[in-house]
Short mmCIF file of all heavy atoms in Angstrom, two decimals:
data_model
loop_
_atom_site.label_atom_id
_atom_site.label_comp_id
_atom_site.label_asym_id
_atom_site.label_seq_id
_atom_site.Cartn_x
_atom_site.Cartn_y
_atom_site.Cartn_z
N VAL A 777 -11.49 -7.32 -13.44
CA VAL A 777 -12.05 -8.65 -13.20
C VAL A 777 -13.51 -8.61 -12.76
O VAL A 777 -14.09 -9.65 -12.48
CB VAL A 777 -11.21 -9.45 -12.17
CG1 VAL A 777 -9.78 -9.59 -12.64
CG2 VAL A 777 -11.27 -8.81 -10.80
N SER A 778 -14.10 -7.43 -12.74
CA SER A 778 -15.48 -7.30 -12.31
C SER A 778 -16.40 -8.17 -13.17
O SER A 778 -16.30 -8.19 -14.39
CB SER A 778 -15.92 -5.83 -12.44
OG SER A 778 -17.23 -5.67 -11.98
N GLY A 779 -17.27 -8.90 -12.48
CA GLY A 779 -18.23 -9.75 -13.18
C GLY A 779 -17.67 -11.09 -13.61
O GLY A 779 -18.33 -11.83 -14.35
N LYS A 780 -16.49 -11.45 -13.19
CA LYS A 780 -15.87 -12.72 -13.60
C LYS A 780 -16.06 -13.84 -12.59
O LYS A 780 -15.43 -14.86 -12.67
CB LYS A 780 -14.36 -12.52 -13.84
CG LYS A 780 -14.04 -11.45 -14.86
CD LYS A 780 -14.47 -11.86 -16.24
CE LYS A 780 -13.98 -10.84 -17.24
NZ LYS A 780 -14.96 -10.41 -18.18
N ASP A 781 -16.92 -13.61 -11.61
CA ASP A 781 -17.30 -14.64 -10.63
C ASP A 781 -16.16 -15.15 -9.77
O ASP A 781 -16.07 -16.35 -9.48
CB ASP A 781 -18.01 -15.82 -11.31
CG ASP A 781 -19.35 -15.44 -11.87
OD1 ASP A 781 -20.00 -14.55 -11.28
OD2 ASP A 781 -19.76 -16.02 -12.90
N PHE A 782 -15.26 -14.29 -9.38
CA PHE A 782 -14.29 -14.68 -8.35
C PHE A 782 -14.00 -13.52 -7.42
O PHE A 782 -12.86 -13.16 -7.15
CB PHE A 782 -13.03 -15.34 -8.91
CG PHE A 782 -12.27 -14.57 -9.94
CD1 PHE A 782 -11.19 -13.76 -9.57
CD2 PHE A 782 -12.58 -14.66 -11.28
CE1 PHE A 782 -10.48 -13.06 -10.51
CE2 PHE A 782 -11.86 -13.95 -12.23
CZ PHE A 782 -10.81 -13.16 -11.84
N LYS A 783 -15.10 -12.95 -6.92
CA LYS A 783 -14.98 -11.80 -6.03
C LYS A 783 -14.22 -12.11 -4.74
O LYS A 783 -13.40 -11.29 -4.31
CB LYS A 783 -16.35 -11.22 -5.70
CG LYS A 783 -16.25 -9.88 -5.02
CD LYS A 783 -17.57 -9.19 -5.02
CE LYS A 783 -17.35 -7.70 -4.99
NZ LYS A 783 -18.57 -6.98 -5.27
N PRO A 784 -14.42 -13.26 -4.09
CA PRO A 784 -13.64 -13.52 -2.87
C PRO A 784 -12.13 -13.48 -3.13
O PRO A 784 -11.38 -12.91 -2.33
CB PRO A 784 -14.10 -14.92 -2.44
CG PRO A 784 -15.48 -15.04 -3.00
CD PRO A 784 -15.44 -14.31 -4.32
N GLN A 785 -11.69 -14.05 -4.24
CA GLN A 785 -10.27 -14.02 -4.57
C GLN A 785 -9.82 -12.59 -4.88
O GLN A 785 -8.71 -12.18 -4.51
CB GLN A 785 -9.95 -14.93 -5.77
CG GLN A 785 -10.22 -16.39 -5.52
CD GLN A 785 -11.66 -16.80 -5.87
OE1 GLN A 785 -12.59 -15.99 -5.88
NE2 GLN A 785 -11.84 -18.08 -6.12
N THR A 786 -10.66 -11.83 -5.55
CA THR A 786 -10.35 -10.44 -5.87
C THR A 786 -10.16 -9.63 -4.60
O THR A 786 -9.22 -8.84 -4.49
CB THR A 786 -11.48 -9.82 -6.73
OG1 THR A 786 -11.63 -10.58 -7.92
CG2 THR A 786 -11.18 -8.38 -7.07
N VAL A 787 -11.04 -9.84 -3.62
CA VAL A 787 -10.94 -9.12 -2.35
C VAL A 787 -9.65 -9.49 -1.63
O VAL A 787 -8.96 -8.62 -1.08
CB VAL A 787 -12.17 -9.37 -1.46
CG1 VAL A 787 -12.00 -8.75 -0.09
CG2 VAL A 787 -13.43 -8.84 -2.13
N THR A 788 -9.29 -10.76 -1.66
CA THR A 788 -8.05 -11.20 -1.01
C THR A 788 -6.83 -10.57 -1.67
O THR A 788 -5.94 -10.05 -0.99
CB THR A 788 -7.94 -12.74 -1.06
OG1 THR A 788 -9.06 -13.30 -0.35
CG2 THR A 788 -6.65 -13.23 -0.44
N ILE A 789 -6.79 -10.59 -2.98
CA ILE A 789 -5.67 -9.98 -3.71
C ILE A 789 -5.62 -8.48 -3.46
O ILE A 789 -4.56 -7.91 -3.17
CB ILE A 789 -5.76 -10.28 -5.22
CG1 ILE A 789 -5.59 -11.78 -5.48
CG2 ILE A 789 -4.73 -9.47 -6.00
CD1 ILE A 789 -5.99 -12.21 -6.88
N ALA A 790 -6.76 -7.82 -3.52
CA ALA A 790 -6.83 -6.37 -3.29
C ALA A 790 -6.40 -6.02 -1.86
O ALA A 790 -5.75 -5.00 -1.64
CB ALA A 790 -8.23 -5.85 -3.58
N SER A 791 -6.75 -6.86 -0.90
CA SER A 791 -6.33 -6.64 0.48
C SER A 791 -4.81 -6.70 0.61
O SER A 791 -4.20 -5.88 1.30
CB SER A 791 -6.96 -7.68 1.41
OG SER A 791 -8.34 -7.51 1.46
N ARG A 792 -4.21 -7.64 -0.07
CA ARG A 792 -2.74 -7.75 -0.04
C ARG A 792 -2.09 -6.55 -0.73
O ARG A 792 -1.07 -6.04 -0.27
CB ARG A 792 -2.30 -9.06 -0.68
CG ARG A 792 -2.69 -10.25 0.18
CD ARG A 792 -2.32 -11.56 -0.43
NE ARG A 792 -2.76 -12.64 0.45
CZ ARG A 792 -3.08 -13.84 0.05
NH1 ARG A 792 -2.98 -14.16 -1.23
NH2 ARG A 792 -3.46 -14.75 0.90
N MET A 793 -2.67 -6.11 -1.84
CA MET A 793 -2.16 -4.94 -2.53
C MET A 793 -2.23 -3.71 -1.62
O MET A 793 -1.31 -2.89 -1.58
CB MET A 793 -2.94 -4.68 -3.82
CG MET A 793 -2.76 -5.76 -4.87
SD MET A 793 -3.97 -5.61 -6.22
CE MET A 793 -3.14 -4.40 -7.24
N THR A 794 -3.32 -3.61 -0.88
CA THR A 794 -3.51 -2.48 0.04
C THR A 794 -2.48 -2.52 1.16
O THR A 794 -1.93 -1.48 1.53
CB THR A 794 -4.94 -2.48 0.62
OG1 THR A 794 -5.86 -2.43 -0.48
CG2 THR A 794 -5.17 -1.32 1.55
N LEU A 795 -2.20 -3.70 1.69
CA LEU A 795 -1.18 -3.81 2.73
C LEU A 795 0.18 -3.38 2.21
O LEU A 795 0.91 -2.65 2.88
CB LEU A 795 -1.12 -5.24 3.28
CG LEU A 795 -0.14 -5.47 4.42
CD1 LEU A 795 -0.42 -4.53 5.58
CD2 LEU A 795 -0.19 -6.91 4.88
N VAL A 796 0.52 -3.80 0.99
CA VAL A 796 1.78 -3.34 0.37
C VAL A 796 1.76 -1.82 0.24
O VAL A 796 2.75 -1.14 0.54
CB VAL A 796 2.01 -4.02 -1.00
CG1 VAL A 796 3.15 -3.36 -1.76
CG2 VAL A 796 2.27 -5.51 -0.81
N GLY A 797 0.62 -1.27 -0.18
CA GLY A 797 0.49 0.17 -0.30
C GLY A 797 0.70 0.88 1.02
O GLY A 797 1.34 1.94 1.08
N LEU A 798 0.17 0.32 2.11
CA LEU A 798 0.37 0.93 3.43
C LEU A 798 1.83 0.88 3.85
O LEU A 798 2.34 1.83 4.44
CB LEU A 798 -0.52 0.23 4.46
CG LEU A 798 -2.02 0.48 4.32
CD1 LEU A 798 -2.81 -0.37 5.30
CD2 LEU A 798 -2.33 1.96 4.51
N LEU A 799 2.50 -0.22 3.56
CA LEU A 799 3.94 -0.31 3.86
C LEU A 799 4.72 0.74 3.07
O LEU A 799 5.61 1.40 3.61
CB LEU A 799 4.47 -1.71 3.56
CG LEU A 799 4.02 -2.81 4.52
CD1 LEU A 799 4.35 -4.18 3.94
CD2 LEU A 799 4.68 -2.63 5.88
N LEU A 800 4.37 0.90 1.80
CA LEU A 800 5.03 1.91 0.98
C LEU A 800 4.69 3.33 1.44
O LEU A 800 5.55 4.22 1.42
CB LEU A 800 4.67 1.72 -0.49
CG LEU A 800 5.29 0.48 -1.15
CD1 LEU A 800 4.61 0.19 -2.48
CD2 LEU A 800 6.78 0.65 -1.31
N LEU A 801 3.44 3.54 1.86
CA LEU A 801 3.06 4.85 2.39
C LEU A 801 3.85 5.16 3.66
O LEU A 801 4.31 6.28 3.86
CB LEU A 801 1.55 4.90 2.67
CG LEU A 801 0.99 6.21 3.20
CD1 LEU A 801 1.27 7.37 2.24
CD2 LEU A 801 -0.51 6.08 3.44
N PHE A 802 4.05 4.16 4.49
CA PHE A 802 4.88 4.31 5.69
C PHE A 802 6.29 4.74 5.30
O PHE A 802 6.85 5.69 5.86
CB PHE A 802 4.90 2.99 6.48
CG PHE A 802 5.86 2.98 7.63
CD1 PHE A 802 5.52 3.60 8.82
CD2 PHE A 802 7.09 2.38 7.52
CE1 PHE A 802 6.40 3.60 9.90
CE2 PHE A 802 7.99 2.37 8.58
CZ PHE A 802 7.64 2.98 9.78
N CYS A 803 6.87 4.06 4.31
CA CYS A 803 8.23 4.41 3.85
C CYS A 803 8.27 5.83 3.28
O CYS A 803 9.22 6.58 3.53
CB CYS A 803 8.71 3.40 2.80
SG CYS A 803 8.99 1.75 3.45
N THR A 804 7.25 6.19 2.53
CA THR A 804 7.18 7.54 1.97
C THR A 804 7.12 8.58 3.08
O THR A 804 7.83 9.58 3.04
CB THR A 804 5.96 7.69 1.04
OG1 THR A 804 6.00 6.67 0.03
CG2 THR A 804 5.93 9.06 0.37
N MET A 805 6.29 8.33 4.09
CA MET A 805 6.19 9.26 5.21
C MET A 805 7.53 9.42 5.92
O MET A 805 7.93 10.54 6.25
CB MET A 805 5.15 8.76 6.23
CG MET A 805 3.73 8.95 5.82
SD MET A 805 2.57 8.28 7.04
CE MET A 805 3.16 8.93 8.58
N VAL A 806 8.20 8.32 6.16
CA VAL A 806 9.49 8.37 6.85
C VAL A 806 10.49 9.19 6.03
O VAL A 806 11.20 10.05 6.56
CB VAL A 806 10.03 6.94 7.11
CG1 VAL A 806 11.49 6.97 7.56
CG2 VAL A 806 9.16 6.24 8.15
N MET A 807 10.52 8.96 4.72
CA MET A 807 11.47 9.67 3.87
C MET A 807 11.13 11.16 3.77
O MET A 807 12.04 12.00 3.77
CB MET A 807 11.53 9.03 2.48
CG MET A 807 12.06 7.60 2.49
SD MET A 807 13.69 7.42 3.22
CE MET A 807 14.68 8.23 1.98
N VAL A 808 9.86 11.50 3.69
CA VAL A 808 9.46 12.92 3.65
C VAL A 808 9.89 13.60 4.95
O VAL A 808 10.47 14.69 4.95
CB VAL A 808 7.93 13.07 3.43
CG1 VAL A 808 7.46 14.48 3.77
CG2 VAL A 808 7.56 12.71 2.01
N PHE A 809 9.61 12.94 6.06
CA PHE A 809 9.98 13.50 7.36
C PHE A 809 11.50 13.66 7.47
O PHE A 809 11.99 14.68 7.96
CB PHE A 809 9.43 12.60 8.46
CG PHE A 809 9.34 13.24 9.81
CD1 PHE A 809 8.71 14.45 9.99
CD2 PHE A 809 9.87 12.60 10.92
CE1 PHE A 809 8.61 15.04 11.25
CE2 PHE A 809 9.78 13.18 12.18
CZ PHE A 809 9.16 14.39 12.35
N LEU A 810 12.24 12.67 6.97
CA LEU A 810 13.70 12.75 6.99
C LEU A 810 14.19 13.93 6.18
O LEU A 810 15.04 14.71 6.64
CB LEU A 810 14.31 11.45 6.47
CG LEU A 810 15.84 11.42 6.37
CD1 LEU A 810 16.47 11.61 7.75
CD2 LEU A 810 16.30 10.11 5.74
N LEU A 811 13.69 14.09 4.99
CA LEU A 811 14.12 15.20 4.14
C LEU A 811 13.81 16.55 4.79
O LEU A 811 14.66 17.44 4.84
CB LEU A 811 13.47 15.10 2.76
CG LEU A 811 13.91 16.17 1.75
CD1 LEU A 811 15.41 16.07 1.48
CD2 LEU A 811 13.12 16.02 0.46
N ILE A 812 12.61 16.68 5.30
CA ILE A 812 12.21 17.94 5.93
C ILE A 812 13.11 18.25 7.13
O ILE A 812 13.61 19.37 7.27
CB ILE A 812 10.73 17.90 6.35
CG1 ILE A 812 9.83 17.91 5.11
CG2 ILE A 812 10.39 19.07 7.28
CD1 ILE A 812 8.38 17.61 5.40
N LEU A 813 13.32 17.26 7.98
CA LEU A 813 14.12 17.52 9.18
C LEU A 813 15.60 17.72 8.86
O LEU A 813 16.28 18.49 9.54
CB LEU A 813 13.93 16.40 10.21
CG LEU A 813 12.56 16.40 10.89
CD1 LEU A 813 12.48 15.30 11.93
CD2 LEU A 813 12.26 17.76 11.53
N ARG A 814 16.11 17.05 7.84
CA ARG A 814 17.52 17.29 7.45
C ARG A 814 17.70 18.72 6.96
O ARG A 814 18.69 19.36 7.27
CB ARG A 814 17.96 16.30 6.38
CG ARG A 814 18.37 14.95 6.96
CD ARG A 814 18.95 14.03 5.90
NE ARG A 814 19.98 14.63 5.09
CZ ARG A 814 21.29 14.61 5.37
NH1 ARG A 814 21.71 14.06 6.50
NH2 ARG A 814 22.16 15.14 4.55
N VAL A 815 16.73 19.22 6.21
CA VAL A 815 16.81 20.60 5.72
C VAL A 815 16.64 21.58 6.89
O VAL A 815 17.34 22.58 6.99
CB VAL A 815 15.77 20.86 4.61
CG1 VAL A 815 15.69 22.34 4.27
CG2 VAL A 815 16.11 20.05 3.37
#
């Protein structure tokens, strides 16, 4: 969407995507730790 004149909306959407990514990264970390400690 670069150059399409809606950068504020792009930043808002990207911020939400990043928050989802952080939640998923949290879940990934928990699962990695669980697997390691179970072994």
Side-chain angles (χ1 to χ4, degrees):
V777 301
S778 182
K780 303 292 187 227
D781 293 329
F782 55 95
K783 191 166 208 168
Q785 297 89 336
T786 301
V787 174
T788 299
I789 294 166
S791 294
R792 291 178 182 152
M793 293 168 84
T794 302
L795 183 56
V796 169
L798 290 174
L799 288 167
L800 289 166
L801 182 58
F802 173 79
C803 293
T804 305
M805 284 177 49
V806 168
M807 296 303 290
V808 165
F809 199 51
L810 177 62
L811 183 62
I812 290 169
L813 289 182
R814 278 186 49 90
V815 170

